[in-house]
């Protein structure tokens, strides 16, 4: 069974009252003058240093460097896999100055946390990038290839721990579940150990507390270069330039492509003019040399779509994630 590209993060909802940024209207004259956009605020719904945080800060810097926007404020509002931030965005109805960095993880979190706030309530702005997942083992692992790993895993799925840097419903959880399904293992038999981000996952992997780990490949590049870990396979359609000698799952005979993605949404009820400011700023950023250089540096795959096209993508992802989590008993 061929799995659709996905990404996620687990969540528990906390109701938050609207606070912070005020719902200022964008100055249409400023927009039409071609001057840089001002007063934009980009929320990151998890802690500093994670994938969302990195993407948001890179985007803000690229907009500043290219003089697309000035004074872009990036701030963190972590909690419950991203749904604390999502609730804030939904509460900020009409605030055209605010947007939230998000991705597949937030989609899954809305189900696992039974969040009252949903992504369908937000205004889709843009999908920015995609990133492949990686199957990683410590340097002293007996598994030299993905085939070695799968053979051992199929023989004892409950006894072989796999770790991920996200809660159930997140991308690091969905990848091994879909991989299990692709190789004939019942997903409910997978012994998944959840860690709070790559910062906790890596020590567990290096300490052999888990047999293998699954996460975005970018999380492990430094450790791959230093020889501490080995990537057995990546989950992209094509091989990754930064890991030229690593095969894809598909190229290894496993019919699975799994892609993590990141995008930006705004509060409900913003004006068409405010929506245009965000989309225009991000479109110009996407076309800039500054952003292209950052994509290459981080190994991100360009996946830029905006507005209604991104909205349709979100709807499709929501359904796909809901289907998977329902089968795993994590959503109803």
């Amino acid at each position: 069974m061929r799995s659709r590209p996905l990404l996620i993060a687990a969540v528990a909802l906390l109701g938050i009252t609207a606070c912070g940024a005020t719902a200022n209207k964008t100055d249409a004259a400023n927009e039409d003058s071609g001057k840089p956009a001002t007063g934009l605020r980009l929320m990151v719904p998890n802690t500093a240093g994670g994938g969302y945080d990195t993407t948001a800060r890179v985007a803000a810097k690229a907009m500043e460097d290219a003089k697309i926007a000035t004074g872009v404020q990036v701030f963190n509002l972590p909690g419950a896999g991203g749904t604390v931030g999502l609730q804030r965005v939904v509460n900020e109805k009409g605030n055209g100055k605010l947007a939230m960095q998000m991705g597949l993880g937030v989609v899954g979190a809305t189900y696992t946390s039974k969040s009252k706030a949903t992504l369908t309530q937000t205004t889709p702005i843009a999908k920015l990038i995609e990133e492949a997942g990686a199957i990683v083992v410590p340097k002293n692992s007996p598994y030299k290839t993905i085939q070695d790993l799968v053979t051992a895993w199929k023989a004892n799925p409950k006894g072989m721990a796999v770790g991920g840097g996200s809660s159930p419903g997140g991308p690091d959880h969905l990848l091994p579940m879909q991989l299990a399904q692709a190789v004939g293992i019942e997903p409910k038999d997978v012994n998944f150990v959840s860690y709070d981000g790559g910062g906790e996952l890596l020590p567990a992997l290096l300490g052999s507390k888990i047999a293998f780990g699954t996460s975005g490949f970018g999380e492990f590049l430094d450790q791959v270069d230093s020889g501490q870990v080995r990537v057995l396979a990546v989950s992209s359609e094509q091989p990754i330039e930064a890991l030229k000698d690593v095969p894809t799952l598909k190229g290894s005979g496993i019919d699975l492509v799994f892609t993590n993605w990141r995008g930006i949404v705004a509060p409900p009820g913003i004006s068409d003019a405010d929506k245009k400011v965000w989309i225009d700023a991000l479109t110009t950023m996407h076309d800039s040399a500054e952003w292209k250089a950052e994509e290459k540096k981080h190994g991100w795959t360009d996946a830029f779509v905006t507005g209604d096209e991104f909205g349709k993508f979100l709807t499709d992802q929501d359904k796909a994630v809901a289907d998977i989590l329902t089968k795993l008993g994590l959503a109803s």
Side-chain angles (χ1 to χ4, degrees):
M1 168 178 162
R2 171 70 174 258
S3 297
R4 298 197 238 179
L6 290 176
L7 171 74
I8 286 187
V11 147
L13 169 71
L14 293 177
I16 279 192
T17 57
C19 56
T22 56
N24 296 327
K25 292 293 183 182
T26 300
D27 185 341
N30 184 61
E31 172 198 339
D32 294 340
S33 71
K35 293 180 181 179
T38 59
L40 302 182
R41 306 182 76 218
L42 188 54
M43 180 205 300
V44 177
N46 60 10
T47 55
Y52 292 165
D53 186 70
T54 299
T55 307
R57 294 183 189 279
V58 165
K61 184 177 185 299
M63 286 193 282
E64 296 268 1
D65 290 348
K67 297 180 172 54
I68 298 161
T70 60
V72 180
Q73 181 189 0
V74 178
F75 68 100
N76 299 79
L77 184 62
T83 52
V84 169
L86 177 60
Q87 183 68 63
R88 166 73 173 272
V89 168
V90 171
N91 286 349
E92 292 267 6
K93 183 177 181 179
N95 185 355
K97 293 288 190 180
L98 177 68
M100 181 179 78
Q101 180 71 63
M102 49 76 69
L104 177 60
V106 178
V107 179
T110 61
Y111 286 98
T112 56
S113 69
K114 297 182 172 27
S115 172
K116 292 180 181 178
T118 67
L119 286 164
T120 58
Q121 295 172 283
T122 66
T123 301
I125 300 297
K127 181 173 76 161
L128 301 178
I129 61 161
E130 293 180 348
E131 182 181 39
I135 311 301
V136 189
V137 295
K139 64 179 181 181
N140 59 351
S141 170
Y143 312 119
K144 306 301 182 185
T145 67
I146 189 65
Q147 289 86 357
D148 292 342
L149 177 67
V150 167
T151 298
W153 197 22
K154 290 175 72 173
N156 186 19
K158 292 183 178 179
M160 200 163 152
V162 50
S166 65
S167 302
D172 291 3
H173 172 248
L174 291 181
L175 175 53
M177 295 303 161
Q178 291 192 66
L179 177 59
Q181 188 169 281
V183 300
I185 295 172
E186 174 57 51
K188 289 184 178 180
D189 290 339
V190 174
N191 180 8
F192 179 76
V193 182
S194 176
Y195 293 92
D196 188 10
E200 287 191 4
L201 173 61
L202 185 60
L205 185 66
L206 296 178
S208 298
K209 293 181 179 179
I210 52 177
F212 66 104
T214 57
S215 192
F217 76 88
E219 298 274 352
F220 301 107
L221 287 179
D222 289 344
Q223 287 72 34
V224 171
D225 289 342
S226 66
Q228 293 178 285
V229 302
R230 287 182 283 114
V231 178
L232 300 185
V234 290
S235 63
S236 52
E237 184 83 38
Q238 300 294 331
I240 300 296
E241 184 177 350
L243 298 168
K244 292 181 179 178
D245 297 327
V246 176
T248 64
L249 291 171
K250 188 176 179 182
S252 303
I254 300 171
D255 192 16
L256 175 64
V257 174
F258 180 97
T259 306
N260 189 358
W261 56 267
R262 295 179 195 135
I264 291 175
V265 297
I270 67 172
S271 70
D272 289 343
D274 285 334
K275 181 177 178 181
K276 185 176 187 298
V277 167
W278 276 107
I279 290 178
D280 285 354
L282 291 169
T283 299
T284 305
M285 179 205 75
H286 167 258
D287 295 337
S288 71
E290 290 84 355
W291 179 251
K292 300 299 183 189
E294 291 291 348
E295 283 186 322
K296 184 175 182 180
K297 175 183 175 181
H298 294 279
W300 295 334
T301 299
D302 182 56
F304 192 73
V305 295
T306 64
D308 292 343
E309 187 175 355
F310 180 41
K312 182 181 183 306
F313 173 82
L314 275 179
T315 298
D316 292 343
Q317 290 285 284
D318 186 78
K319 183 180 184 306
V321 170
D323 288 347
I324 291 170
L325 295 180
T326 297
K327 289 177 182 177
L328 292 173
L330 297 174
S332 55

